Amino acid sequence: MMQNRISSFPPVIDNQAEILILGSIPGVKSLEKQQYYAHPQNKFWTLIFHLLNEKPTDDYMERLNVLKKNHIAVWDVIDSCERKGSLDTEIKNEEANPIAELLDEYPNIKAVFCNGGKSYKSLQKLLGKNYRLPIFQLPSTSPLHTVSFDRKLEDWKKILEFLI
């Protein structure tokens, strides 16, 4: 019997997208709010605003517009799984999203960035190690990943190389 089965959100993507950022699957707070990276301590949005020199906003629709305006798509590697709480280490019986099909459907995407180790490992299992697009693992924006904000920002600057 499946308990605590959760599902990810639809991708935030359009035909102008040049990079795809993949998380593992939304945490409890994101599922409650039905928003990507909704936990107040998650640094995803802060990093994005810093990198793109955009004015920070708490309005979710404005946040999504910043992504689209800057040719960034967001999704999760995992479509559904069983999990208690928000920890990636608690993920069981995962089912993958059709990432390869999405990338075929949006040929402008030049690179894929994984937000943390779980999404990276799951994506490598899904696409293989020699996929046709570059795939990068970035430090997780989760508050549980205790690397400093400045260090995360430095590593996340890699996405800018693909947005020129």
Side-chain angles (χ1 to χ4, degrees):
M1 185 168 109
M2 288 195 215
Q3 294 183 322
N4 301 311
R5 189 118 193 129
I6 58 170
S7 297
S8 71
F9 309 137
V12 173
I13 193 166
D14 64 20
N15 289 319
Q16 314 313 304
E18 295 178 351
I19 67 163
L20 174 62
I21 299 174
L22 293 170
S24 54
I25 193 162
V28 172
K29 188 61 84 178
S30 293
L31 291 167
E32 282 172 13
K33 290 187 152 197
Q34 289 295 293
Q35 297 178 3
Y36 282 101
Y37 305 105
H39 192 289
Q41 263 98 46
N42 190 299
K43 296 300 180 203
F44 178 82
W45 294 110
T46 308
L47 282 166
I48 291 295
F49 294 133
H50 264 77
L51 288 171
L52 303 173
N53 292 316
E54 293 280 354
K55 187 171 177 268
T57 178
D58 290 330
D59 182 281
Y60 187 62
M61 294 317 291
E62 286 179 35
R63 287 176 166 186
L64 297 182
N65 286 334
V66 165
L67 293 177
K68 287 184 178 181
K69 180 177 94 175
N70 288 282
H71 312 292
I72 298 172
V74 174
W75 204 18
D76 289 308
V77 178
I78 300 168
D79 173 54
S80 68
C81 66
E82 294 171 41
R83 184 186 67 203
K84 289 185 196 118
S86 293
L87 296 176
D88 282 352
T89 53
E90 294 293 321
I91 291 173
K92 310 257 187 295
N93 300 319
E94 62 191 77
E95 299 281 332
N97 268 318
I99 306 293
E101 290 85 341
L102 182 88
L103 292 169
D104 287 344
E105 195 178 327
Y106 293 93
N108 286 341
I109 293 179
K110 298 183 273 197
V112 179
F113 293 87
C114 295
N115 186 351
K118 176 62 179 172
S119 64
Y120 183 74
K121 288 182 190 98
S122 296
L123 188 64
Q124 285 207 310
K125 261 195 275 183
L126 195 60
L127 300 181
K129 290 191 186 338
N130 298 310
Y131 190 69
R132 64 180 172 83
L133 293 175
I135 298 171
F136 301 94
Q137 179 181 341
L138 297 174
S140 173
T141 59
S142 164
L144 297 170
H145 188 67
T146 56
V147 171
S148 74
F149 178 80
D150 289 341
R151 176 64 203 276
K152 287 181 186 183
L153 182 62
E154 198 55 42
D155 289 343
W156 275 70
K157 284 180 182 173
K158 182 86 179 150
I159 71 172
L160 298 175
E161 295 172 28
F162 293 88
L163 293 175
I164 297 165

